[in-house]
Amino acid sequence: RKEVEQDPGPFNVPEGATVAFNCTYSNSASQSFFWYRQDCRKEPKLLMSVYSSGNEDGRFTAQLNRASQYISLLIRDSKLSDSATYLCVVNPPPPGGSYIPTFGRGTSLIVHP
Amino acid sequence: SAVISQKPSRDICQRGTSLTIQCQVDSQVTMMFWYRQQPGQSLTLIATANQGSEATYESGFVIDKFPISRPNLTFSTLTVSNMSPEDSSIYLCSVTQGGGTEAFFGQGTRLTVV
């Protein structure tokens, strides 16, 4: 089982739709979680952190479910500009003392008019 | 956050040659990493660059092929040695302040080996 798994999609949705992505992780002791956005031919950029209590930033909501070992990202009122790949990042406990961000393969979102 | 300058942004190289990629951060950072990303794939960690000592390589990556330097807390280089077309990829420098904090990325180097 991979450490971090995501449905690669693509998710193809109309403008204004609500879309949700999930990401599962294998190490139950993982400490910190993030969602990144990567546009075509660009580097990943931090979208938001994921806290145990959930995190909301405008149209974006991130949630953590430790019992089921997954994090989610909800996008409301999708815009054309939301089209991108969304990467889930998990920090499993460091074996040698240093946290190393572990990336999912990303979920592609296409928002169409 | 950290501002990361990665050079070159792209290059086309002949097989058998080597390319050195530089990563400069505007502030001291605890951790520096080098990733590779094939088209349509996720990021694969090559190694963790350790300041003043040898890098820590992931399975499938070796120092002879990907020598890494990190002379201080703001700078690192990755060399792709004796290149072949299979090395064509995007190479990304990333930094964190350790402790599971968020990662920041350089703009990436798009390498094509012909």
Side-chain angles (χ1 to χ4, degrees), chain A residues 32 34 36 38 41-44 46 87 91 98-101 103-106, chain B residues 31 33 35 37 40 42 45 48 92 96 99-103 105-107 110:
Chain A
S32 53
F34 305 93
Y36 280 72
Q38 186 173 26
R41 296 175 177 266
K42 299 285 189 180
E43 74 276 19
L46 179 66
L87 299 166
N91 278 290
S98 300
Y99 283 94
I100 298 176
F103 288 79
R105 63 173 296 181
Chain B
M31 307 293 293
F33 306 99
Y35 289 87
Q37 187 175 31
S42 186
L45 181 65
T48 302
L92 290 153
T96 77
T101 54
E102 63 266 35
F105 288 85
Q107 301 92 331
R110 184 176 297 275

Side-chain angles (χ1 to χ4, degrees), chain B residues 10 48 85-86 93 107:
Chain B
R10 60 177 63 236
T48 302
E86 292 69 36
C93 167
Q107 301 92 331

